């Protein structure tokens, strides 16, 4: 792309619009507009998003188009990879290096945000993706668990006629089953404008994520060797992931566990030290809680689904067979990467970052593995 068609500052940094606090360590929300508009179309919604110690920064796409600005042109040096690297390098200069950064993308801005997330998942504390699709990037960036620990809000519009349907479907599918991200995803009317309920829903989610960051900090991916479980190293789960709901109450919708395997699993987990059972107070109807008595419960609040009740896990009813468990972050991320867990939609938003759904066992061998995951949750709740 010719240099004279670029729309940047003289030093090639982005043109931006700002709103909110100027404190260099405050959480930063980076907003990316759709092609054909500008940074002003995004900064205008900032007053309807959470206030407080948070900075909003809307970026202008670098290429001047016939109408508005565009993010990349695959026929020249300003391709998606080049734009992604340009934005990531520039973010190094925006405030303190350890400040939490979240992305807010609209339409084509979702593609750019997705490329940034996939290229450098450790750099971002969350993302709001509105009416757009992830890039058609190399399969190496779409590995299972790539976005573990990064909460994502995804909204697709039933009236979206600009984004190819296959890209919308593949984005929804990968984020909800393979990415490892705690995903809250919803479909509703719209797809052309940032207006109506979607801004309110995204704002509520964003406010909850910011509150969680202030209270608990970020939960970066652990380094080092694979963690040890009560059963040793966790193997890879065989086959494709099950379908799981993307809002609460979260439950499994395919590959459901046979009733006799659920019964065998229940027999094993209720035999753990200090465990009692009761009908659950959260979850779908028929859910059964696994409770740890006060004598044994010495773990942190993050080790419990419901800390006040001592509930560290619960089993969904026979029509489902999955479980919710609270795990240490390192174990949760290991389970996500190996297909043995799907992050709770509000993990790291309203509940602990290690809250995951574990698919019910499909055979006798999986009973052993799932029981070992529950035992790890029990160990966390008992001793921290």
């Amino acid at each position: 792309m010719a240099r004279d068609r670029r729309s940047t500052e003289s030093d090639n940094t982005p043109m931006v619009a700002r709103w909110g606090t100027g404190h260099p360590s405050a959480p930063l929300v980076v907003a990316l507009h759709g092609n054909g508009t500008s940074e002003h179309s995004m900064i205008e919604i900032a007053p309807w998003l959470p206030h407080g110690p948070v900075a909003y920064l809307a970026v202008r796409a670098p290429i001047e188009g016939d109408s508005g600005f565009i993010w990349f042109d695959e026929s020249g040096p300003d391709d998606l990879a080049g734009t992604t690297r340009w934005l990531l390098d520039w973010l190094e200069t925006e405030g303190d290096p350890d400040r939490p950064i979240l992305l807010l993308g609209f339409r084509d801005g979702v593609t750019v945000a997705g490329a940034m997330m996939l290229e450098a998942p450790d750099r971002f504390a969350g993302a709001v993706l509105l009416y757009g699709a992830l890039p058609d990037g190399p399969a190496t960036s779409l590995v299972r668990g790539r976005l573990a620990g990064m909460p994502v809000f995804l909204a697709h519009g039933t009236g979206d006629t600009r984004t190819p349907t296959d890209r919308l479907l593949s984005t929804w599918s990968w984020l909800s089953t393979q990415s490892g991200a705690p995903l809250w995803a919803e479909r509703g009317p719209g797809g052309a404008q940032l207006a109506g309920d979607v801004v309110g829903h995204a704002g509520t989610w964003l406010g909850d994520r910011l509150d969680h960051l202030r209270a608990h900090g970020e939960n970066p991916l652990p380094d080092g060797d694979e963690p040890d479980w009560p059963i040793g190293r966790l193997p890879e789960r065989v086959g494709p992931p099950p379908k799981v709901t993307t809002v609460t109450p979260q439950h499994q919708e395919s590959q459901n566990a046979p009733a006799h395997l659920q019964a065998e699993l229940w027999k094993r987990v209720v035999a753990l030290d200090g465990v009692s059972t009761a009908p659950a107070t959260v979850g779908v109807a028929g859910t059964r809680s696994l409770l740890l008595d006060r004598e044994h419960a010495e773990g942190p609040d993050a080790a419990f689904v419901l800390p006040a009740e001592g509930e560290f896990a619960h089993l969904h009813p026979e029509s489902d067979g999955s479980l919710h468990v609270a795990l240490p972050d390192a174990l949760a991320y290991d389970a996500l990467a190996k297909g043995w867990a799907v992050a709770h939609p509000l993990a790291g938003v309203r509940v602990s970052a290690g809250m995951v759904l574990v698919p019910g066992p499909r055979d006798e061998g999986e009973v052993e593995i799932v029981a070992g995951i529950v035992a790890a949750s029990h160990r966390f709740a008992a001793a921290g």
Side-chain angles (χ1 to χ4, degrees):
M1 183 61 63
R3 180 67 180 86
D4 59 6
R5 288 196 62 192
R6 287 185 65 83
S7 180
T8 63
E9 300 285 6
S10 59
D11 60 356
N12 200 35
T13 57
M15 303 280 283
V16 301
R18 300 176 187 269
W19 193 86
T21 181
H23 198 287
S25 64
L28 174 65
V29 178
V30 178
L32 308 172
H33 62 79
N35 283 346
T37 58
S38 75
E39 72 277 19
H40 301 295
S41 66
M42 296 300 288
I43 206 65
E44 288 174 353
I45 70 168
W48 281 267
L49 297 175
H51 295 198
V54 55
Y56 293 91
L57 190 158
V59 184
R60 177 185 295 181
I63 303 169
E64 185 173 354
D66 295 332
S67 174
F69 303 91
I70 59 177
W71 286 106
F72 55 90
D73 180 351
E74 297 294 0
S75 64
D78 293 310
D79 60 5
L80 179 57
T83 295
T84 300
R85 177 47 51 193
W86 172 68
L87 287 168
L88 290 173
D89 289 346
W90 160 72
L91 277 176
E92 297 284 355
T93 69
E94 276 296 317
D96 293 344
D98 295 328
R99 75 189 308 187
I101 300 176
L102 300 96
L103 297 171
L104 169 57
F106 173 61
R107 302 197 64 82
D108 307 277
V110 170
T111 303
V112 179
M116 296 170 72
M117 294 156 56
L118 293 168
E119 175 69 21
D122 58 315
R123 297 283 302 279
F124 301 104
V128 176
L129 308 178
L130 306 177
Y131 302 154
L134 296 178
D136 292 326
T140 53
S141 66
L142 296 177
V143 296
R144 190 160 60 187
R146 180 71 173 174
L147 303 183
M150 187 195 304
V152 173
F153 177 98
L154 175 69
H156 279 172
T158 56
D160 190 343
T161 58
R162 292 179 55 182
T163 309
T165 301
D166 60 337
R167 289 189 59 205
L168 292 173
L169 291 174
S170 63
T171 293
W172 188 287
S173 176
W174 185 77
L175 283 173
S176 63
T177 63
Q178 299 272 19
S179 70
L183 176 71
W184 184 280
E186 53 187 54
R187 290 187 178 95
Q193 299 181 10
L194 276 181
D197 290 343
V198 68
V199 173
H201 294 175
T204 298
W205 181 94
L206 182 59
D208 289 338
R209 176 56 178 159
L210 291 170
D211 287 344
H212 196 279
L213 285 169
R214 294 183 192 109
H216 304 287
E218 292 193 68
N219 43 295
L221 289 172
D223 295 322
D225 295 335
E226 293 183 26
D228 286 325
W229 295 76
I231 54 172
R233 294 293 178 89
L234 193 66
E236 296 275 346
R237 185 178 185 271
V238 177
K243 184 178 179 182
V244 174
T245 57
T246 59
V247 295
T248 55
Q250 185 190 36
H251 57 279
Q252 186 175 340
E253 295 186 306
S254 67
Q255 303 182 28
N256 303 109
H260 72 283
L261 296 180
Q262 294 184 43
E264 176 63 24
L265 174 64
W266 185 253
K267 184 171 68 175
R268 294 191 184 203
V269 298
V270 297
L272 295 167
D273 289 346
V275 170
S276 61
T277 67
T281 58
V282 296
V284 295
T287 299
R288 293 171 286 173
S289 295
L290 292 170
L291 308 170
L292 196 59
D293 62 42
R294 292 184 180 276
E295 180 182 351
H296 291 81
E298 298 182 1
D301 283 355
F304 296 91
V305 177
L306 294 173
E309 299 180 16
E311 179 182 318
F312 65 93
H314 61 230
L315 177 69
H316 295 134
E318 286 190 2
S319 58
D320 180 336
S322 63
L323 305 98
H324 275 123
V325 303
L327 294 168
D329 290 355
L331 294 186
Y333 299 154
D334 190 43
L336 290 166
K338 293 176 178 176
W340 286 107
V342 177
H344 189 280
L346 295 175
V349 180
R350 295 183 192 171
V351 300
S352 67
M355 188 80 71
V356 297
L357 179 140
V358 179
R362 297 169 295 181
D363 55 42
E364 293 286 351
E366 290 193 355
V367 171
E368 184 74 21
I369 295 169
V370 175
I373 294 173
V374 179
S377 178
H378 173 268
R379 182 176 63 186
F380 187 30

